[in-house]
Amino acid sequence: MADAEIGWIAAIIIGGIAGWLAEQFMKSDMGLLMNIVLGIVGAAIASAILSFFGVVLGGWIGYLILGFIGACLLIWIVRAVRGRTA
């Protein structure tokens, strides 16, 4: 996610929080590193999807919301592909 307001360290911290929240919401067990990856990648994916519809969220809270939505989406996709709970 190329947001000038969010630095790398902030992206890692917020991505970790978003991934952890998604992990709790989806009742999954991923681990700290995977939570960070899910949050960061999820924020990028959710940002791309929502910007296609004209919805743009910025700043720390926007990044957290996008990370949570995207991480939940990624967990759901992994479960659908595997055919079991991840």
Side-chain angles (χ1 to χ4, degrees), residues 35-53:
N35 285 343
I36 293 170
V37 171
L38 281 174
I40 293 172
V41 173
I45 291 172
S47 177
I49 292 170
L50 292 178
S51 67
F52 179 75
F53 295 107

Side-chain angles (χ1 to χ4, degrees), residues 7-69:
W8 284 103
I9 294 175
I12 291 171
I13 293 170
I14 296 170
I17 294 169
W20 179 79
L21 288 171
E23 178 185 55
Q24 298 301 309
F25 181 74
M26 299 293 287
K27 294 182 179 24
S28 180
D29 186 23
M30 297 288 187
L32 177 63
L33 182 61
M34 194 61 167
N35 285 343
I36 293 170
V37 171
L38 281 174
I40 293 172
V41 173
I45 291 172
S47 177
I49 292 170
L50 292 178
S51 67
F52 179 75
F53 295 107
V55 177
V56 179
L57 298 175
W60 291 62
I61 299 298
Y63 193 84
L64 181 65
I65 292 168
L66 291 173
F68 173 75
I69 292 170

